[in-house]
Structures are given as C-alpha cells and as structure tokens.
Amino acid sequence: MALVAVGQLTSTASMANNLRQCQLLVKKAVKAGARALFLPEASDYIASSGEETIKMAKSAQESEFLVGLQEEARREKLPIHVGVHEPGQDSRRVKNTVLWIDERGEIAQRYQKIHLFDVDIKNGPVLKESNSVEPGGQILPPFNTPLGKVASTICFDLRFPEISLALKRQGADIITFPSAFTVPTGKAHWEILLRARAIETQSYVIAAAQVGRHNEKRVSYGHSMIIDPWGTVLADLGGNDGEPEIATAEIDFELLKKIRREMPLARRTDVYPAV
C-alpha cells in the first residue's frame, strides 16, 4: 500500500502566486503522509492569450516556479508530478509537458502532450491550443517509482484510449491525466472518461485538475480524482475554487494484482493489431 495525494488549484498568469499555491499543497501532502503529490496541467501558469503563453515560457533552469518546486521536493523528500510550459523548438510555440520530480529534486521524466485541444463549443469556449503549443511525438514508457510504474499523459490525451492501452501493455500500474478541463466538457465527459480508462486498463488513474476562474476568458472544471482499477472513485475534490486542496487515497498493489488476475483482458491481436 502507498498513500498518494492529488492536488487542485487555480493557476493564473502569476508564477509566484502559483508557486505559493503549490507549496501549500506540498505542505498538506507531507502532513497527510503521502508518498507523492500529483499536480495539474499548466500548474506554472495559465495566461490570457496564446501570445502571453509563449512569452511567459521559461526553461527548467530559468523557471522560478520549477526551481522552487524542485526545492520543495528535495527538502521534503517528496516526489512531485507537475504540468508546466517549456520553450518550443522555435519562438512561435511552447511545449506542454508534465514532469516527474523525484525525492532528490531532480527531473527524472518528461512527457510532452501529444493531442492538442482545438475546440469551438457552441455557447462555450473557443480554444485553439495548436496556435501556441507544439505537439509531442511519442508515448513514453512507464517509469519506476516508489508507487510502482507510473505513466504520463496530459488532459486532451484522455479522449484517446490507444495511449492508455499502450501504457498498460508496457506495464503501467498508474496512469496520470493532469488536466485543465473546461466546465462544459468536464460536466459531460470528465468522470466517465477517467473511469473508462481505469476499467479498460485495470490501472489506477490519478487526475489532478485545475479549478475555477483563471482570467476573464477561462474557467476550469476541477474534480481532481483518484480512481482504482475497478473504476471506483476513491477521491474527488469537487468543483469549487478557493484555497488549494489535496485528496488522498491508497494505491493497493494487491488489489491491482487481484483484478488483473481474476479478469485477464487478453486482447485478440490475431484479429486486430496490438496497440
């Protein structure tokens, strides 16, 4: 068994304030006895435009947010999984990435979001992430942690089961979905998709989410969740913004093995290709 914490906050264009929010979540996770903290997509900042998003991006070495969070991980000996922006290959776009910061404060893994959020919702938001974000080009294999093998995806990747199935096939015990879902899409699809990914991969799902109003243009749904391999919601932080909060749940390795042993999902790769 291993206790994990999932965090929820409202990032703005102030990296200093976002760091303070995350530092508070670290303190709460440590007090709860968690062995790792999972934070949302874009924890470092959410800007009001694509131009501002690009302008604010800093490398890992130059980001006061990331350096500060690494110091927290090192001081508390607490691994932190966090979504941030990093400069892209050229000056026109940034990378949307999620990092695993280990208990020494080192960046041990980095995943770049593959599927970008380009939507035009009737009576809702119009968001074209591809205008300012460059897509990643690969699914990274799960990596070893004190919690078992952790696999990273980001937000809109949730809608594509192929990624999760590929990660399960590579041995994932936990699949993460750090996110900033809009309110309309969150109400309609968030919990359904997360539970589906947990059930079809027989894995734990940890989904840290942004919540509340970031600026005059953007509001996030919240409802950070931890879900077990049977699809049971173990923790749900709800949709109210305010003070940053955590929820905790146990990763039960015996339950993971039991579900996979008693209901093996043997794919018919002789009929359809392996993912």
Side-chain angles (χ1 to χ4, degrees):
M1 302 278 278
L3 189 73
V4 299
V6 64
Q8 185 161 285
L9 70 149
T10 309
S11 292
T12 66
S14 170
M15 278 196 276
N17 185 56
N18 300 333
L19 176 59
R20 285 192 290 271
Q21 292 187 78
C22 291
Q23 288 169 331
L24 178 59
L25 293 174
V26 169
K27 289 183 174 64
K28 291 183 176 185
V30 170
K31 184 177 180 180
R35 294 181 63 183
L37 170 63
F38 293 80
L39 297 173
E41 175 186 29
S43 287
D44 56 344
Y45 63 87
I46 291 181
S48 58
S49 67
E51 293 77 13
E52 187 179 25
T53 296
I54 295 166
K55 184 178 180 180
M56 291 183 67
K58 295 183 179 181
S59 68
Q61 297 79 14
E62 296 175 331
S63 169
E64 59 267 33
F65 173 88
L66 191 50
V67 170
L69 208 54
Q70 287 178 274
E71 290 174 359
E72 291 289 322
R74 187 180 305 114
R75 179 170 58 252
E76 301 294 350
K77 295 181 172 54
L78 179 74
I80 301 172
H81 189 260
V82 60
V84 298
H85 301 84
E86 297 182 281
Q89 296 297 321
D90 58 53
S91 60
R92 296 173 296 173
R93 294 193 288 181
V94 300
K95 297 177 181 179
N96 183 336
T97 61
V98 62
L99 311 176
W100 177 263
I101 303 171
D102 66 21
E103 63 277 6
R104 299 168 299 172
E106 301 295 329
I107 297 172
Q109 213 242 22
R110 174 185 274 103
Y111 167 75
Q112 185 177 349
K113 188 176 183 179
I114 292 175
H115 297 98
L116 302 183
F117 188 54
D118 285 359
V119 296
D120 186 347
I121 299 172
K122 185 177 180 180
N123 300 320
V126 177
L127 291 168
K128 300 290 184 182
E129 191 176 19
S130 62
N131 287 344
S132 57
V133 178
E134 74 174 43
Q138 64 180 132
I139 299 170
L140 296 185
F143 53 98
N144 291 316
T145 77
L147 314 170
K149 288 192 172 183
V150 174
S152 297
T153 79
I154 301 175
C155 200
F156 203 57
D157 290 334
L158 173 61
R159 295 184 178 274
F160 303 89
E162 295 88 348
I163 298 179
S164 296
L165 292 171
L167 292 168
K168 161 66 186 314
R169 189 165 174 262
Q170 294 178 67
D173 299 315
I174 298 170
I175 302 176
T176 68
F177 296 93
S179 297
F181 254 58
T182 68
V183 173
T185 58
K187 286 180 177 178
H189 300 147
W190 175 246
E191 181 178 333
I192 295 168
L193 288 171
L194 290 172
R195 294 183 70 191
R197 296 296 88 87
I199 293 165
E200 69 197 7
T201 65
Q202 299 177 319
S203 302
Y204 279 91
V205 160
I206 302 178
Q210 293 278 350
V211 68
R213 183 166 293 280
H214 309 286
N215 52 53
E216 68 281 358
K217 299 178 182 178
R218 190 163 173 185
V219 182
S220 289
Y221 179 63
H223 291 273
S224 297
M225 291 187 181
I226 302 173
I227 301 171
D228 77 11
W230 193 245
T232 303
V233 177
L234 304 178
D236 179 350
L237 277 169
N240 296 323
D241 53 354
E243 183 178 290
E245 292 293 345
I246 66 160
T248 61
E250 295 277 2
I251 303 299
D252 185 339
F253 303 110
E254 291 307 313
L255 176 66
L256 187 71
K257 293 175 185 176
K258 179 177 184 291
I259 290 172
R260 291 178 175 182
R261 181 179 66 250
E262 293 181 352
M263 191 184 290
L265 299 181
R267 313 203 93 79
R268 285 292 305 275
T269 53
D270 60 319
V271 177
Y272 54 84
V275 176

